[in-house]
Amino acid sequence: MTTSEIKPGEQVKDVHFTEDSLSVDLMDGRTISVPLAWYPRLLHASPAQRQNWHVCGGGFGIHWPDIDEDLSTEGLLRGAPAPRNTMSHVA
């Protein structure tokens, strides 16, 4: 069985955006960059809404109150896009 252990260096330091990506700087010096299209709420949010974020979850999460979006460093490190509610499960 494989378990993912959260490490203190994986805490959020900063969040920034380009036109098509979300980047999260971690305390250990790494930067996670993912396509903004993976997170439709962030993709369709205004620049002001994207900039209004808070660190949560003991430092391992990011919350955008204006759009009710939450991401974790664990999910970002796994490369997990937002669930697609409109897509059926494909085996």
Side-chain angles (χ1 to χ4, degrees):
M1 180 168 110
T2 306
T3 59
S4 178
E5 193 174 313
I6 295 176
K7 299 170 183 72
E10 294 175 354
Q11 290 177 304
V12 176
K13 181 177 181 182
D14 196 14
V15 175
H16 41 100
F17 295 89
T18 66
E19 185 175 321
D20 59 357
S21 69
L22 159 68
S23 296
V24 178
D25 296 332
L26 303 180
M27 292 294 194
D28 66 7
R30 290 182 287 172
T31 299
I32 307 165
S33 292
V34 296
L36 199 50
W38 282 9
Y39 306 102
R41 288 183 188 173
L42 288 169
L43 178 66
H44 299 295
S46 70
Q49 289 171 319
R50 290 180 190 160
Q51 292 307 311
N52 183 24
W53 58 273
H54 312 281
V55 175
C56 63
F60 298 95
I62 311 158
H63 176 67
W64 287 267
D66 296 339
I67 58 171
D68 194 28
E69 180 72 287
D70 296 283
L71 300 178
S72 70
T73 56
E74 187 223 354
L76 289 166
L77 286 165
R78 269 196 344 253
R84 302 263 183 211
N85 294 337
T86 58
M87 292 180 66
S88 61
H89 178 69
V90 178

